[in-house]
Amino acid sequence: PSYPGANIANKVDAPLAIYVEPRVLSLQDTHRIIVAARGTELESIVPFTIATGLRRGEVCGLRWSDIDLSSGKLSVQRAAANVDGKVVIKATKTRKSTRSDQMQPEVTPYLIRHRAQQAERHLALGLGKRGGDGFVFDRFDGRQWDPNELSRKFTRFIRRRNLPRVKFHDLRKVYGSYAYDAGVPLKDISESLGHSNINVTSAIYVHLMEDWKKVKATKLDAYMGSMLREARTASDSG
């Protein structure tokens, strides 16, 4: 029976959400995107995000004091967010999102060049020299990046350059996929991504896990396949 003010839609089961497998860029596609970003505001952000897997808010909230260029250590302590149209710095998404990590060595040259270019740009804008509390990534006019605008900027860049259709957040997934393909344990990938638990990571990259099961089987066959064949043959002949 229906009652006045009752919402009959509550009796209807919602359709199941359709899972869309995230697109994994090939190394060639990733190379195209990084090269195309040169000379734009995304020049350093894109390769950095692909190589570290940080969330867009974490990238926008990163300060130079969070990076040790000599050791390659990276510390994620905060994130930028758009709150009522204003960019604010807040705590990271979860407790495990606050983390430290080791950057791959090839990231350092990108950051060294970016820091030099940023310093020149700040002097030209009359902003002076900023210390370790300065943001690693900012706009060409010195303004802080708004995470929402960063996503929009990246989407326009991809569309106008006729590049593989990915969103900025997909770069984080590219990092996870490449790390898994490189043989990095899922637990380590989960920690680097700042996931709340390893189940979140495995759910996102389950399609890659299936591929690695095949690789595992092939490697095991190369290692012990001849022994199994010889044992079977000996058993048959006996």
Side-chain angles (χ1 to χ4, degrees):
S2 299
Y3 302 96
N7 186 352
I8 60 174
N10 291 333
K11 299 180 180 180
V12 180
D13 292 332
L16 295 175
I18 300 175
Y19 172 73
V20 179
E21 186 172 292
R23 177 170 184 175
V24 178
L25 294 175
S26 67
L27 287 173
Q28 291 77 13
D29 284 341
T30 300
H31 178 270
R32 285 179 57 203
I33 292 174
I34 292 175
V35 171
R38 296 198 63 174
T40 74
E41 288 184 305
L42 303 172
E43 177 174 344
S44 300
I45 290 182
V46 167
F48 177 83
T49 304
I50 290 172
T52 61
L54 266 63
R55 300 177 177 90
R56 64 175 192 171
E58 294 168 347
V59 171
C60 296
L62 197 66
R63 299 182 187 274
W64 282 112
S65 57
D66 298 323
I67 295 177
D68 186 336
L69 292 175
S70 60
S71 66
K73 293 289 181 63
L74 169 68
S75 178
V76 181
Q77 301 291 329
R78 65 195 71 80
N82 185 305
V83 179
D84 297 328
K86 295 183 179 180
V87 181
V88 298
I89 302 298
K90 60 176 188 175
T92 54
K93 187 176 180 180
T94 65
R95 180 178 59 82
K96 285 198 172 183
S97 294
T98 301
R99 60 201 186 278
S100 60
D101 205 356
Q102 182 73 40
M103 299 183 296
Q104 54 182 291
E106 194 55 44
V107 177
T108 302
Y110 276 95
L111 289 174
I112 291 175
R113 181 176 66 183
H114 169 68
R115 190 169 195 176
Q117 292 174 341
Q118 184 186 63
E120 290 182 8
R121 179 163 46 83
H122 285 175
L123 288 175
L125 290 169
L127 299 176
K129 186 177 181 180
R130 297 181 178 179
D133 63 336
F135 291 106
V136 175
F137 303 106
D138 57 4
R139 307 297 302 270
F140 273 169
D141 59 5
R143 287 182 296 125
Q144 183 184 356
W145 270 107
D146 177 335
N148 294 347
E149 180 56 28
L150 175 57
S151 292
R152 289 191 290 267
K153 180 87 174 180
F154 182 79
T155 299
R156 291 193 296 268
F157 158 73
I158 289 292
R159 185 176 63 249
R160 291 171 181 173
R161 300 297 180 94
N162 196 28
L163 294 164
R165 293 302 178 91
V166 290
K167 299 177 181 178
F168 188 82
H169 184 72
D170 292 333
L171 302 184
R172 174 172 161 82
K173 297 176 181 177
V174 169
Y175 166 83
S177 300
Y178 286 177
Y180 198 85
D181 276 342
V184 179
L186 200 62
K187 181 178 182 298
D188 293 341
I189 298 174
S190 181
E191 291 178 357
S192 291
L193 290 172
H195 282 159
S196 55
N197 60 70
I198 195 172
N199 292 332
V200 175
T201 315
S202 60
I204 295 174
Y205 300 110
V206 65
H207 60 294
L208 291 177
M209 294 173 69
E210 292 300 319
D211 290 341
W212 262 90
K213 288 176 183 177
K214 298 176 183 177
V215 174
K216 174 202 67 176
T218 301
K219 288 183 175 180
L220 277 173
D221 194 58
Y223 180 76
M224 61 185 293
S226 60
M227 178 272 294
L228 290 173
R229 283 190 295 274
E230 290 175 7
R232 173 172 48 80
T233 302
S235 175
D236 291 343
S237 61

